[in-house]
Amino acid sequence: MTDAFEPEIVAFCCHYCAYTAADMAGSKRISYPPNVKIIRVPCTGKVDAIHIMRAFEKGADGVYVAGCLEGDCHFKTGNIRAAHRVRRVQALLEEIGMEGGRVEMITMSAGMGERFAQTAREFTEKIRALGPSPIRDAIRQSGRRAAG
Amino acid sequence: MNAALLLADQGHRVYLVEREARLGGIAATVRTTLEGDDVGRYMSDLVETVQSHQKIQVLTQAIIVDHKGMPGRFTTGIQTGPRMHYMQVEHGVTILATGALANRPAQYLLGEDDRVLTQLDMDAKIEDDPESIRSMKQVVMIQCVGSREPGNPNCSRICCQSAIKNALRMKALNPDMQIYVLNRDIRTYGFQEDYYREARKQGVQFIRYEPDRRPAVRALENGLVVDAYDDILGCRLEISADAVVLSTGLIADDETTEDLSMLFHVPRSDDSYFLEDHIKLRPTDMSVRGFFLAGTAHAPKSIRESIAHGQSAAGRAMTMLAKHWINLGAAVARVDGAKCAACLICVRACPYNVPFINAEGYSEIDPAKCHGCGICAADCPARAIQLMQYEDDQILAKLDGLFERMN
């Protein structure tokens, strides 16, 4: 394995906006970095802190929650709840000594294929600049220890 | 209207909600199509049939004010008539056919000089005032005015055919007339290509221009002058013209689609048209169940295509209306009564006020009322609520699978 750092990013996308925007990016043939792995949820309000934390626990370098524009949530207020929850997870990450910026809330409308691809690129670059998550390093080391 | 008629003919009651005082939209102002269909006659017949249909109630000068319910049982509040009388309508499905607007950008002296017209103006002029066409010697048409550019990036789809339609009609009235069509590309798709060939055969000149070297229109005392750059000849042209016809196409009715998308929670595309659920697989259904889309509210379309889209919307709507039962999605929240502490968090969190504490003392969620957002499941401190199809186990398993190769 080469040592070039490729960030692992999980994007929780709501079915009605961000996931459709990702679809739109696909139909418009707009490419976005393969670092971003999408998990579809019905609404960003469904994304629990435990889901985000599990992603980090498993070795994700960054996580973002992508939902509808404020006021456009299909379920009225799910995206606002998600934004609150993301802020709480940011505080939790800071508390355990990680950068809060590794998790972010992003909003877009269903038609914004270009914005979806652009945020995927920006977030990937941001995480690349932050470097690998300390948990990921720890996982790899413990893996080596187990193998050795 | 076509969708309404099809559904009404199959025995369903239809409320046709029209914002204007009359039915028909832009189509009511169009005289003929490229293929030579008499649009005026078709529209007046259609309006007549719709208005006299026993199963159709036409509400004009109407605006939508509120909306609630679920697929198969919506309730929408409408204010209608000059007095803005409020009424509520119960309905099983909703078809959005709000149309688009004829674009009229202030370019190339449109609105300043009355010798500069749009294709829609010219369409009417050819029919109403053929003498003026016979007296013209040279006419210049400019394509892609106000579309395929920042602000309205989509192709309006109808302009190439309406330009060729009007060019052929003018040629029929006045065969000696010289017509120049300044274009970026000509897209007369399908069998319309035959008309494009016919126009070339009759001597209509098609000249390409690049967006960074747009033509310019100057008004002189005795006529108009169009300055253009011909890519093929590699030189500047100065064409004098008795009239300049701009192909301005359609633009989304931003205000209407914004209002309705807020009320119905349906998505819009970047350029303010309504967005279908899937560009190829579900072009008529919207992402919200029970909502269908027809005509130019979705994207610019020709009249024939709009009618086909309306028929398609009626067909899709029938699949819901014809059934006595509606299968609701299985993605609903379910409460584990043994874990529930009746803390009321779900009761407060639900955007639709579905959960309640039942007689046994735990939270209950009616699967028919649940919209399946999962907000309660994420908020429940006892993890007593799971959203079917998106259970915590499933999401965590997805994460495990994603990082399997790393661990």
Side-chain angles (χ1 to χ4, degrees):
Chain A
M1 188 181 150
T2 55
D3 276 347
F5 169 56
E6 279 302 330
E8 293 287 337
I9 292 163
V10 176
F12 289 100
C13 292
C14 86
H15 172 76
Y16 287 91
C17 294
Y19 196 82
T20 312
D23 243 5
M24 184 65 84
S27 351
K28 283 187 173 171
R29 307 278 187 276
I30 306 167
S31 61
Y32 61 91
N35 310 61
V36 175
K37 316 284 194 293
I38 296 174
I39 292 186
R40 183 171 69 128
V41 286
C43 175
T44 47
K46 170 75 183 79
V47 180
D48 200 338
I50 193 83
H51 303 146
I52 303 174
M53 293 310 267
R54 174 65 75 97
F56 283 114
E57 189 189 330
K58 288 287 170 181
D61 301 300
V63 177
Y64 67 89
V65 180
C68 308
L69 297 174
E70 210 157 300
D72 270 0
C73 176
H74 181 68
F75 299 109
K76 295 181 183 175
T77 54
N79 53 353
I80 295 165
R81 288 176 171 277
H84 277 297
R85 211 165 282 143
V86 165
R87 277 201 291 278
R88 218 170 61 212
V89 174
Q90 280 172 340
L92 278 172
L93 289 183
E94 302 270 359
E95 213 175 299
I96 60 168
M98 282 170 69
E99 299 89 348
R102 286 187 188 275
V103 56
E104 208 177 291
M105 176 79 199
I106 293 167
T107 58
M108 64 189 75
S109 84
M112 293 181 175
E114 181 57 61
R115 178 165 158 78
F116 178 85
Q118 195 194 332
T119 50
R121 283 193 290 268
E122 283 171 7
F123 194 77
T124 307
E125 287 320 306
K126 179 180 157 189
I127 299 299
R128 200 190 295 280
L130 281 176
S133 110
I135 300 175
R136 175 173 162 166
D137 279 347
I139 292 170
R140 202 179 298 159
Q141 270 164 25
S142 70
R144 270 193 214 130
R145 265 203 303 276
Chain B
M1 275 195 283
N2 272 289
L5 206 54
L6 276 170
L7 290 172
D9 280 345
Q10 294 185 69
H12 294 284
R13 178 140 199 83
V14 181
Y15 294 91
L16 196 62
V17 184
E18 168 64 53
R19 181 184 53 183
E20 304 296 329
R22 57 159 188 86
L23 292 171
I26 299 179
T29 61
V30 178
R31 307 302 173 88
T32 171
T33 64
L34 177 57
E35 292 85 356
D37 306 317
D38 185 346
V39 182
R41 178 123 168 248
Y42 172 80
M43 285 305 291
S44 55
D45 286 354
L46 183 62
V47 170
E48 170 70 31
T49 322
V50 164
Q51 276 172 337
S52 58
H53 203 291
Q54 280 198 326
K55 287 275 185 186
I56 302 177
Q57 186 173 345
V58 179
L59 307 170
T60 48
Q61 290 175 286
I63 50 168
I64 310 284
V65 283
D66 56 59
H67 175 77
K68 61 172 191 261
M70 54 181 163
R73 197 176 180 179
F74 295 118
T75 309
T76 301
I78 302 163
Q79 283 191 320
T80 174
R83 287 248 168 108
M84 287 282 126
H85 165 70
Y86 179 83
M87 63 183 284
Q88 273 195 334
V89 172
E90 284 216 345
H91 53 114
V93 299
T94 312
I95 296 175
L96 295 177
T98 54
L101 301 174
N103 198 5
R104 272 192 97 85
Q107 291 181 26
Y108 303 110
L109 306 179
L110 181 63
E112 289 172 41
D113 193 306
D114 56 12
R115 290 166 296 188
V116 179
L117 317 160
T118 64
Q119 293 289 0
L120 205 54
D121 300 337
M122 188 44 109
D123 178 64
K125 198 181 172 82
I126 293 171
E127 188 130 326
D128 299 341
D129 188 10
E131 270 323 299
S132 69
I133 306 294
R134 288 198 187 97
S135 68
M136 289 179 186
K137 290 199 184 70
Q138 288 209 122
V139 170
V140 174
M141 295 183 177
I142 305 175
Q143 301 299 105
C144 297
V145 177
S147 48
R148 297 175 71 202
E149 57 183 42
N152 190 28
N154 56 326
C155 161
S156 263
R157 197 175 165 92
I158 55 165
C159 318
C160 290
Q161 36 180 305
S162 38
I164 287 167
K165 167 185 81 176
N166 286 341
L168 286 173
R169 286 161 77 202
M170 284 194 277
K171 275 284 194 187
L173 283 172
N174 181 359
D176 296 329
M177 180 193 275
Q178 199 43 262
I179 303 172
Y180 298 90
V181 181
L182 307 182
N183 64 82
R184 284 169 62 186
D185 299 290
I186 291 290
R187 295 188 189 181
T188 41
Y189 49 92
F191 290 116
Q192 295 163 5
E193 196 74 9
D194 291 342
Y195 297 95
Y196 171 55
R197 258 202 300 271
E198 180 59 30
R200 294 189 66 147
K201 209 157 87 185
Q202 293 191 17
V204 177
Q205 295 288 322
F206 291 87
I207 300 168
R208 244 181 76 82
Y209 74 88
E210 289 290 331
D212 52 357
R213 262 194 181 146
R214 279 169 203 285
V217 179
R218 279 180 288 143
L220 301 179
E221 198 70 3
N222 50 354
L224 297 162
V225 174
V226 181
D227 298 301
Y229 180 83
D230 188 319
D231 253 353
I232 297 168
L233 298 176
C235 66
R236 296 182 48 78
L237 301 175
E238 214 180 88
I239 310 165
S240 57
D242 299 304
V244 170
V245 191
L246 306 180
S247 288
T248 49
L250 296 172
I251 192 159
D253 189 351
D254 186 37
E255 219 174 293
T256 305
T257 57
E258 187 178 5
D259 284 352
L260 293 180
S261 76
M262 293 292 256
L263 265 164
F264 295 136
H265 287 284
V266 291
R268 293 194 303 162
S269 64
D270 249 356
D271 38 12
S272 304
Y273 289 100
F274 286 121
L275 188 65
E276 71 277 35
D277 192 27
H278 192 283
I279 191 165
K280 294 194 173 76
L281 303 177
R282 281 158 69 84
T284 307
D285 299 55
M286 300 191 77
S287 63
V288 183
R289 195 142 175 249
F291 277 81
F292 304 94
L293 191 51
T296 52
H298 164 243
K301 282 186 188 70
S302 71
I303 292 173
R304 288 181 170 206
E305 287 162 344
S306 297
I307 295 171
H309 203 200
Q311 290 169 336
S312 147
R316 294 293 303 145
M318 268 312 282
T319 63
M320 278 186 77
L321 293 172
K323 287 185 203 147
H324 294 291
W325 302 95
I326 289 179
N327 284 326
L328 294 164
V332 292
R334 198 174 286 172
V335 185
D336 179 352
K339 284 186 187 165
C340 176
C343 68
L344 298 177
I345 283 183
C346 54
V347 177
R348 292 193 196 106
C350 178
Y352 304 98
N353 302 321
V354 179
F356 63 97
I357 306 299
N358 65 12
E360 277 106 281
Y362 62 84
S363 163
E364 188 176 320
I365 294 170
D366 181 349
K369 286 183 186 156
C370 177
H371 290 234
C373 65
I375 290 174
C376 55
D379 267 1
C380 177
R383 317 224 62 77
I385 308 177
Q386 288 295 338
L387 180 66
M388 297 297 114
Q389 296 180 6
Y390 297 94
E391 287 163 62
D392 282 333
D393 286 353
Q394 286 172 301
I395 291 178
L396 297 179
K398 276 187 190 173
L399 286 167
D400 288 353
L402 215 49
F403 292 103
E404 205 175 8
R405 69 203 148 79
M406 292 180 61
N407 293 308

